[in-house]
Amino acid sequence: MHNTAFLHLPDYEIIRKLKFSAYSDIEEEIYEWLKIKLEQTLKIRFPELPKAGTTANWDELLNAWFFETSPAFLNATWQGDKIIFNSNSAFSRDIANSPSFSGSRTGNSIKRKFFEVSDVARPNPFEASFHFVGSETGIKDYYSVVEWFLGSYKTKIYWFKSNNSYAIKALVSNRSHWYSGTRLPKSWQNKLDETLGFSIENLVDSAPRGQTIKRKLPIFISNKLESEFNFSLPSFGGDLRQEFNIETIWIK
């Protein structure tokens, strides 16, 4: 439930609350506030992510990347700053059923690329990439939140054929970072460049977790803040790697 009273506070009061509140308590309000500010600045509507077609809570994974947390996910394990989802994970099943992986209407899908190669010529494992580009990205609900979160991705597929049925075991690897986090429609990128005078790709450099703000400040400033003022620099959106193990059946 959104705290609508939060959204009507003056900007300086919101910033004060962001500084002294636990992010988990107000993360939805942070999103709504930033969304409103962007819409007011750019004079265009913020694109809404599709809601249907998935079962996993992709907002949780987005929050784990942005707030640099390591929450427990069902059917997944953490290895440092990488999280590995097994084939029973809802995230892995969402990818298996997504337009980009198993879709038939998307000419760019992994499944269509798989069947474009004959069984005799197709290597095992078979490697293919999905590219989150083209006019389809601007069509409402054409893709699911899977594609908006992963963007373009590569996969390695081990396959076994029985009659016209193919048992598929695949590994999808993804890195969430600021370049992927600032993935926006071309119209938005042009508007940002026109309105604010910079390319969105250069807004924040990618960096390991705990290092994003330090990478933007001159080293002598960050050292002085931390050593002399005992001030711990915050970090948002440090690199988060994921591996999704996928098992599914494809019929030719």
Side-chain angles (χ1 to χ4, degrees):
M1 181 74 67
H2 290 308
N3 179 2
T4 55
F6 176 94
L7 301 178
H8 295 291
L9 292 172
D11 288 351
Y12 68 86
E13 184 65 18
I14 289 178
I15 293 170
R16 189 188 69 82
K17 284 185 175 292
L18 297 184
K19 183 177 180 180
F20 295 107
S21 299
Y23 287 119
S24 58
D25 295 336
I26 57 172
E27 57 197 21
E28 290 188 4
E29 285 72 30
I30 294 173
Y31 173 84
E32 288 299 321
W33 179 67
L34 289 173
K35 174 183 169 182
I36 289 170
K37 289 303 168 187
L38 280 170
E39 288 183 340
Q40 290 174 345
T41 302
L42 302 177
K43 310 300 182 187
I44 49 179
R45 295 282 297 172
F46 196 89
E48 296 291 340
L49 293 180
K51 301 296 184 184
T54 54
T55 58
N57 188 345
W58 288 85
D59 285 343
E60 266 192 301
L61 196 52
L62 178 65
N63 290 340
W65 164 69
F66 184 79
F67 294 107
E68 299 190 358
T69 58
S70 302
F73 286 96
L74 188 64
N75 293 311
T77 56
W78 285 91
Q79 289 186 0
D81 288 337
K82 178 173 73 173
I83 185 168
I84 301 172
F85 296 90
N86 67 35
S87 59
N88 291 321
S89 165
F91 292 94
S92 296
R93 291 197 300 269
D94 279 352
I95 296 173
N97 296 322
S98 68
S100 61
F101 193 80
S102 293
S104 57
R105 66 176 180 175
T106 306
N108 196 13
S109 74
I110 301 299
K111 181 179 179 180
R112 289 192 63 163
K113 291 178 178 178
F114 180 86
F115 285 121
E116 284 173 355
V117 183
S118 69
D119 292 343
V120 174
R122 186 189 307 113
N124 199 347
F126 174 78
E127 298 186 25
S129 299
F130 166 75
H131 299 287
F132 189 60
V133 295
S135 58
E136 294 91 348
T137 60
I139 301 174
K140 181 178 174 60
D141 293 333
Y142 187 91
Y143 286 121
S144 71
V145 71
V146 169
E147 288 77 24
W148 281 94
F149 184 89
L150 296 179
S152 300
Y153 62 85
K154 296 180 179 179
T155 185
K156 180 180 290 187
I157 297 174
Y158 297 86
W159 56 279
F160 174 78
K161 182 182 180 184
S162 177
N163 298 321
N164 287 327
S165 177
Y166 295 76
I168 301 296
K169 289 189 176 182
L171 178 66
V172 170
S173 300
N174 183 56
R175 181 168 69 103
S176 297
H177 50 105
W178 274 103
Y179 286 153
S180 65
T182 53
R183 184 172 49 249
L184 292 173
K186 185 64 175 173
S187 59
W188 270 69
Q189 295 184 33
N190 293 343
K191 189 68 175 180
L192 282 167
D193 190 35
E194 172 190 331
T195 307
L196 304 179
F198 63 81
S199 171
I200 189 67
E201 288 87 352
N202 297 323
L203 179 58
V204 179
D205 296 331
S206 295
R209 287 184 143 197
Q211 299 292 315
T212 54
I213 302 301
K214 290 182 182 180
R215 292 289 179 94
K216 295 297 289 183
L217 291 175
I219 189 66
F220 73 91
I221 294 179
S222 60
N223 287 345
K224 190 175 184 67
L225 286 171
E226 293 196 324
S227 62
E228 295 189 21
F229 297 99
N230 195 28
F231 178 77
S232 180
L233 289 172
S235 180
F236 300 98
D239 295 356
L240 173 62
R241 289 175 170 81
Q242 309 108 49
E243 287 185 357
F244 303 90
N245 291 278
I246 295 168
E247 295 186 12
T248 191
I249 302 293
W250 283 343
I251 306 296
K252 189 169 184 178

